[in-house]
Amino acid sequence: MTASRTVNLAVFASGSGSNLQRLLDLDREGDLAGGRVVLVVSDKPDCRALERARQAGVATFAFNPKDYPDKPAYEREILARLREHHVEWIVLAGYMRLVGEVLLGAYGGRIINLHPSLLPQFPGKDAIGQALAAGVRETGVTVHFVDEGMDTGPVIAQEPVPVDPDDDHESLAAKIHAVEHRLLPSVVRSLVRGEVWLEGRRVCRRGEERSESL
Ligand code: GRF
């Protein structure tokens, strides 16, 4: 039996970090297909996500954007940490900032984001509130590659979540989180195994090349 390759991941988070926690738990259980969370990056030095990382014994890099003249300056600092930890993939899980040219230049096609709606519906902030305000019967979860836009990159996976008439923000968020905690790890495993990748703006999947050319 050949041992699977270890693939180093960085998770970026600004808030509670329940999705980070899920990845940390699966990593500990050896259930990330060889993926390992080696670094957690946050723009909110007091956030719960950083506590979770420290509790799991994972390296952290916290920064306050106001301490830097501009985005390229703090992203260069992040990039140095990513290289130090030999990070191959970046997972944005509740990171409340647009990724800029420095990180996209170095990690283009290797950054994914988790978003609580069926994109392109409800991009940007408070997608759950947007769905409730719009009165839709269904919203969902998207995992996509990151480009320079706000939640505009090529979609890797989506899963719908029904909105019930008596749902409020809290109940809908709970349903969405339950799906996220399953969908994000499954995408991470596919990336780590090399089953999904980006070519230009096209999401490629192993095994689909042949059927597309038929
Ligand atoms: C998730 O709902 C994710 O879709 C969005 O931010 C939220 C992060 O939740 N981008 P948590 O911090 O992982 O609990």
Side-chain angles (χ1 to χ4, degrees):
M1 200 173 87
T2 43
S4 63
R5 197 170 76 88
T6 293
V7 175
N8 288 353
L9 314 168
V11 179
F12 287 29
S14 306
S16 144
S18 72
N19 284 283
L20 164 67
Q21 188 67 58
R22 181 81 179 124
L23 294 175
L24 292 170
D25 292 346
L26 291 169
D27 180 353
R28 197 189 55 233
E29 291 159 17
D31 197 8
L32 270 187
R36 283 180 49 211
V37 180
V38 295
L39 179 67
V40 172
V41 173
S42 182
D43 60 327
K44 296 271 185 250
D46 297 327
C47 75
R48 173 95 178 90
L50 285 170
E51 274 173 44
R52 294 180 192 269
R54 289 185 203 110
Q55 269 165 18
V58 171
T60 59
F61 175 59
F63 66 99
N64 186 342
K66 291 193 181 122
D67 295 341
Y68 296 83
D70 52 21
K71 189 185 293 259
Y74 68 72
E75 287 202 341
R76 277 195 292 274
E77 190 106 4
I78 295 173
L79 187 55
R81 301 305 205 290
L82 294 170
R83 291 194 163 137
E84 193 182 307
H85 290 276
H86 306 286
V87 167
E88 292 188 48
W89 286 95
I90 297 173
V91 178
L92 309 184
Y95 180 64
M96 301 302 285
R97 287 186 178 271
L98 271 183
V99 171
E101 61 200 27
V102 170
L103 290 180
L104 282 171
Y107 279 88
R110 289 193 162 261
I111 311 176
I112 63 166
N113 180 45
L114 174 67
H115 186 77
S117 77
L118 292 176
L119 290 170
Q121 264 196 319
F122 313 130
K125 283 190 182 156
D126 193 18
I128 295 171
Q130 291 184 54
L132 287 168
V136 292
R137 297 237 175 118
E138 185 179 83
T139 183
V141 174
T142 301
V143 184
H144 64 94
F145 283 106
V146 169
D147 63 10
E148 58 290 334
M150 168 89 78
D151 304 321
T152 50
V155 170
I156 305 170
Q158 289 189 305
E159 194 170 314
V161 172
V163 183
D164 298 317
D166 56 351
D167 264 330
D168 58 14
H169 202 286
E170 195 183 335
S171 64
L172 185 54
K175 288 195 282 188
I176 284 182
H177 269 104
V179 172
E180 290 183 336
H181 293 169
R182 189 162 36 71
L183 196 65
L184 181 62
S186 92
V187 169
V188 167
R189 288 188 199 101
S190 307
L191 298 171
V192 163
R193 290 188 184 119
E195 293 168 356
V196 176
W197 66 97
L198 190 66
E199 277 178 23
R201 286 196 65 83
R202 187 168 145 251
V203 177
C204 302
R205 295 167 207 274
R206 194 196 288 158
E208 282 184 4
E209 299 96 321
R210 180 183 293 270
S211 54
E212 272 175 21
S213 60
L214 286 175

